[in-house]
Amino acid sequence: MEQLKILEIINRWGYLTSYQISDLLNKKQKATERLIAILVSKKLLRIDQLTNKNIYMLSSLGNRKLGKESKNIRINYNELAHQDLLIKWLCQQTDILYYQTEKELKAENPREKGYPDLLVHYENKDMIIELERTRKSKERFENKIDSYYRDLQKNKEILWLVPNESMKKFINEQIQNYNFKIELHRIEIFNDV
């Protein structure tokens, strides 16, 4: 049962480290590693050992076990820290009913031009979560907000997670410049320290 949960969680995110899996399962690291070892021995998971952390993804057999089509996943090593912060933020939340990852949203609507990092569903509302760790050009930032135009029209809030006060100020300036549904944007400083 828990092994199946691990497969489903990895399917949602594409690839995860054992620390991320244990955070999402709310289990101790050693217990998670034992479950992962069983899945690896059954050839349901593949391991990427290019970094100093093992990164786990579904094997062809693992995809078939979940009734999914087998796809080759390419790991974006630059995005690992980004994904790690999103998972840490997500695991600190207590009132989320469920969430959808960027990977799931892309699969659902492949023709969209932009996807949030997370879409979280609360009891009475949905919220877009965007983790911004670095500054983007005004054009790129405007394109990002443009992709949420319909969501903002539906009064969906956007929570911008930023690492420091400087980024908070930058994001706030960009939102003010865009000047559409400003009241639906919230900015929160979040880092894993």
Side-chain angles (χ1 to χ4, degrees):
M1 183 73 153
E2 287 189 319
Q3 292 172 5
L4 188 57
K5 267 188 193 175
I6 290 173
L7 295 176
E8 288 169 349
I9 287 171
I10 292 172
N11 182 54
R12 292 183 93 173
W13 290 87
Y15 47 85
L16 293 168
T17 65
S18 61
Y19 294 107
Q20 293 169 334
I21 295 167
S22 46
D23 282 350
L24 289 166
L25 284 175
N26 197 20
K27 287 188 94 41
K28 293 206 184 291
Q29 180 66 28
K30 289 288 182 195
T32 302
E33 286 174 356
R34 281 192 294 274
L35 291 169
I36 290 170
I38 293 168
L39 291 169
V40 168
S41 71
K42 292 179 177 178
K43 298 193 180 346
L44 295 170
L45 293 181
R46 289 187 306 127
I47 307 171
D48 180 284
Q49 298 173 321
L50 192 58
T51 63
N52 60 356
K53 306 173 190 178
N54 285 343
I55 302 168
Y56 300 94
M57 63 207 90
L58 295 178
S59 67
S60 299
L61 189 60
N63 277 305
R64 283 196 303 270
K65 176 96 172 153
L66 292 179
K68 305 282 180 195
E69 171 180 320
S70 190
K71 291 183 213 164
N72 236 357
I73 299 235
R74 288 183 45 206
I75 296 173
N76 183 343
Y77 297 100
N78 296 324
E79 289 294 316
L80 285 174
H82 187 84
Q83 182 170 291
D84 202 42
L85 284 171
L86 281 172
I87 289 170
K88 286 178 180 175
W89 177 84
L90 186 63
C91 291
Q92 289 179 9
Q93 308 309 302
T94 56
D95 54 348
I96 293 175
L97 296 178
Y98 69 99
Y99 67 92
Q100 291 174 284
T101 65
E102 184 176 3
K103 179 183 177 276
E104 290 175 302
L105 294 168
K106 280 180 184 176
E108 233 175 63
N109 299 309
R111 295 181 193 254
E112 291 289 322
K113 69 176 185 179
Y115 304 91
D117 293 327
L118 284 175
L119 180 60
V120 293
H121 305 277
Y122 296 94
E123 192 169 317
N124 56 358
K125 67 179 176 180
D126 295 342
M127 184 181 287
I128 293 168
I129 308 300
E130 272 297 333
L131 175 61
E132 291 297 328
R133 299 181 302 142
T134 58
R135 291 176 182 249
K136 291 179 174 46
S137 69
K138 291 183 185 210
E139 294 80 27
R140 271 186 72 197
F141 196 84
E142 195 169 298
N143 287 339
K144 182 173 269 223
I145 295 182
D146 279 346
S147 69
Y148 301 138
Y149 183 79
R150 282 185 288 167
D151 294 314
L152 289 168
Q153 280 184 314
K154 295 176 189 171
N155 291 323
K156 232 179 243 182
E157 288 183 36
I158 301 176
L159 174 61
W160 300 91
L161 299 174
V162 296
N164 52 43
E165 198 61 48
S166 170
M167 269 302 287
K168 183 176 181 177
K169 182 180 176 197
F170 172 76
I171 298 290
N172 191 45
E173 287 170 3
Q174 300 308 309
I175 292 167
Q176 298 300 321
N177 289 342
Y178 194 77
N179 197 23
F180 180 70
K181 299 271 189 171
I182 294 171
E183 70 280 0
L184 294 176
H185 296 267
R186 284 189 19 230
I187 306 168
E188 181 180 305
I189 294 175
F190 179 80
N191 49 38
D192 62 336
V193 180

